[in-house]
Amino acid sequence: MQNLFQNAMVQLDKVVQMKNFSREDGPVSGWSELITRLQQPDRDIRISIPVKMDDGTLKIFEGYRVEYNNTLGPYKGGIRYHPETEINEVKALAFWMVLKCAVVGIPMGGGKGGVTVDPKKLSKNELERLSRGWARGLSDVLGPHKDVPAPDVNTTPEIMTWIADEYSKITGDTTGAVITGKPLSGGGSEGRDTSTAQGGFYVFDALQKELGLPEVCRVVVQGFGNVGSNVAEIFTQRGHKVAAISDSKGGIYNNEGLNIEKLLEYKKTTGSLFDFPGSRNITNEELLKTECDLLIPAAFENQITVENASEIKAKAVLELANGPTTPEADEILFKKNIPVIPDILANSGGVTVSYFEWVQNLKNEHWSEKEVFEKLEPMLKNASLEILEKAHKSNTHLRMGAFIRALERIKEKMV
Ligand code: NAD
């Protein structure tokens, strides 16, 4: 399988071929220049982070920050802590952030960060020293008007607070606007913790009828972390049925719909989803192939691939994870008439509320959750309908529609 950055570049290439943006279309500010600029990041930074471990030994961790493109505003994107995180993954995620911000129309560019680490193997003190080390190593490139990170997989509001604090000690900037996803007490925004899932629901809501989905959908969710558990709860509250859900160990299925509130408690006490009363255990492979109206990948990248795409039995896919569908799988689903609502639109609620947090910090304001979601909903619904129209006009799938809309916005501003 190609690495994630290669997948991202295949997607970009597809738009180039489809729209026939030739290399001879003008000397500056033309499509060719835009595409050439977007084939690599503005800079990718790797740092060594020395961390004093609790047993007194010194361990060096590898950290990253990729600043992909800032045509629309300061670089923006989360930080991922994962044992398999590496530079190509971070580059791909940073590229998608550029498009994601452009799709929704927020004045932010795209970046992403990470550390190759299994955070579950660190004590809280070690995790804090690692996070502060990441901030120290990158303090000269971060900044409210330069590069504004946020949480991603395995990074929490508390980690954001450590990074904000370290940054303010070094620079004296106490606005907190250097990073988003902070806890409410540390200048975070109302609604940020559920914003990706809530945003995913707004996008679904805008497209549900257009895509011919029934009023009450049977939903299958892969992933039971921040995004997966929240989206399962939101869909249930809105009257849909979540028939299957999984985490990294595997999943569970109940044809009548799962009680997500009880499942959250169950996982807290048992540490697993398995054997949840009234359900049967299934593997992640089975989950992806479950017959349903809506499949929501909300775990990791490269889950729907050439190996399983032809067996997907969903009527539509809502990508809340980043990069869950490979380019080859995209084509298979398109031929099967299964619309894929792409990550750069479907999960953009997270970065949009991150942007709201940044605005609130800079203006020293605090918006209510109601205000936050009242601002979020129309932005995502408008973006969804615009992208649907782009896709229809070019007779292509929604991902290409989203790429075209994003590229147009960046091109308008690129000098
Ligand atoms: P998380 O760490 O809170 O949750 C990840 C979940 O996926 C966990 O339940 C884990 O057990 C599960 N998982 C891991 N491997 C799996 C597998 N092979 N099969 C099934 N489940 C598996 O992370 P998160 O914040 O919920 O992020 C999930 C995805 O959403 C990521 O791709 C992330 O980049 C994307 N995303 C997150 C946000 C956000 O605001 N948190 C915003 C945009 C995009």
Side-chain angles (χ1 to χ4, degrees), residues 142-367:
L142 303 178
H145 297 286
K146 294 197 290 184
D147 185 343
V148 185
D152 189 63
V153 173
N154 289 328
T155 51
T156 58
E158 189 174 36
I159 293 176
M160 301 303 110
T161 311
W162 295 330
I163 293 176
D165 182 60
E166 197 63 28
Y167 180 81
S168 83
K169 277 185 189 151
I170 296 166
T171 64
D173 181 322
T174 54
T175 59
V178 67
I179 199 161
T180 59
K182 302 178 293 294
L184 284 177
S185 58
S189 177
E190 302 284 349
R192 174 62 185 92
D193 49 348
T194 56
S195 56
T196 303
Q198 187 62 57
F201 183 81
Y202 292 146
V203 169
F204 157 82
D205 205 32
L207 299 177
Q208 182 181 10
K209 279 206 185 94
E210 309 283 348
L211 300 180
L213 295 171
E215 211 158 296
V216 175
C217 285
R218 251 168 74 83
V219 182
V220 165
V221 181
Q222 186 195 38
F224 198 56
N226 173 310
V227 180
S229 63
N230 280 313
V231 84
E233 260 198 311
I234 293 167
F235 270 81
T236 308
Q237 284 160 5
R238 297 299 188 108
H240 301 282
K241 270 189 188 164
V242 176
I245 196 155
S246 65
D247 64 13
S248 56
K249 294 179 195 145
I252 51 169
Y253 175 87
N254 179 342
N255 196 32
E256 299 310 312
L258 296 157
N259 182 326
I260 302 301
E261 225 174 284
K262 286 201 174 134
L263 185 59
L264 278 162
E265 271 172 39
Y266 181 82
K267 174 146 184 188
K268 227 186 244 168
T269 41
T270 66
S272 153
L273 302 173
F274 288 145
D275 303 326
F276 180 61
S279 68
R280 82 178 152 80
N281 298 339
I282 53 172
T283 64
N284 258 304
E285 255 330 280
E286 285 174 298
L287 174 125
L288 291 172
K289 297 172 192 167
T290 301
E291 201 169 330
C292 61
D293 297 307
L294 190 68
L295 172 63
I296 308 184
F300 272 104
E301 52 263 12
N302 289 341
Q303 296 301 305
I304 305 177
T305 66
V306 73
E307 268 97 48
N308 61 12
S310 56
E311 294 173 79
I312 301 286
K313 293 180 207 77
K315 291 203 184 91
V317 177
L318 179 71
E319 291 187 331
L320 290 195
N322 284 307
T325 314
T326 64
E328 299 82 12
D330 247 352
E331 292 312 316
I332 297 172
L333 295 179
F334 186 56
K335 282 189 191 125
K336 280 176 59 133
N337 267 328
I338 300 176
V340 177
I341 306 171
D343 46 6
I344 59 169
L345 169 67
N347 69 30
S348 61
V351 69
T352 308
V353 175
S354 269
Y355 159 65
F356 294 164
E357 179 176 332
W358 177 77
V359 173
Q360 290 170 78
N361 292 156
L362 289 175
K363 291 186 170 174
N364 203 14
E365 288 179 1
H366 187 81
W367 305 346

Side-chain angles (χ1 to χ4, degrees), residues 61-113:
F61 292 89
E62 190 166 14
Y64 316 93
R65 186 70 186 165
V66 173
E67 297 186 326
Y68 208 98
N69 186 280
N70 63 354
T71 301
L72 295 181
Y75 302 102
K76 182 94 197 79
I79 312 162
R80 180 174 287 199
Y81 285 0
H82 196 272
E84 277 152 39
T85 287
E86 45 79 45
I87 192 70
N88 285 307
E89 177 187 73
V90 184
K91 271 164 69 176
L93 293 165
F95 168 74
W96 287 321
M97 285 306 299
V98 177
L99 302 180
K100 205 178 289 187
C101 294
V103 155
V104 227
I106 58 175
M108 295 267 163
K112 201 84 186 186

Side-chain angles (χ1 to χ4, degrees), residues 4-150:
L4 208 60
F5 186 61
Q6 287 166 327
N7 281 353
M9 290 302 104
V10 170
Q11 294 172 340
L12 183 62
D13 223 47
K14 267 191 202 167
V15 193
V16 175
Q17 285 164 17
M18 200 188 70
K19 293 294 283 180
N20 202 13
F21 300 142
S22 78
R23 306 273 150 191
E24 293 90 38
D25 66 349
V28 281
S29 301
W31 284 107
S32 61
E33 182 169 300
L34 171 68
I35 301 297
T36 306
R37 286 266 299 268
L38 290 179
Q39 281 166 339
Q40 60 286 302
D42 289 346
R43 56 177 160 174
D44 60 64
I45 305 159
R46 295 179 209 213
I47 56 169
S48 297
I49 312 170
V51 176
K52 191 70 130 201
M53 305 303 278
D54 290 347
D55 65 5
T57 59
L58 187 80
K59 207 167 167 185
I60 307 289
F61 292 89
E62 190 166 14
Y64 316 93
R65 186 70 186 165
V66 173
E67 297 186 326
Y68 208 98
N69 186 280
N70 63 354
T71 301
L72 295 181
Y75 302 102
K76 182 94 197 79
I79 312 162
R80 180 174 287 199
Y81 285 0
H82 196 272
E84 277 152 39
T85 287
E86 45 79 45
I87 192 70
N88 285 307
E89 177 187 73
V90 184
K91 271 164 69 176
L93 293 165
F95 168 74
W96 287 321
M97 285 306 299
V98 177
L99 302 180
K100 205 178 289 187
C101 294
V103 155
V104 227
I106 58 175
M108 295 267 163
K112 201 84 186 186
V115 178
T116 310
V117 61
D118 183 350
K120 289 179 191 126
K121 293 194 176 143
L122 299 190
S123 70
K124 191 171 168 186
N125 286 336
E126 289 166 343
L127 196 61
E128 178 170 352
R129 289 195 285 274
L130 173 72
S131 305
R132 288 183 182 275
W134 187 90
R136 270 197 307 281
L138 292 162
S139 62
D140 53 340
V141 301
L142 303 178
H145 297 286
K146 294 197 290 184
D147 185 343
V148 185

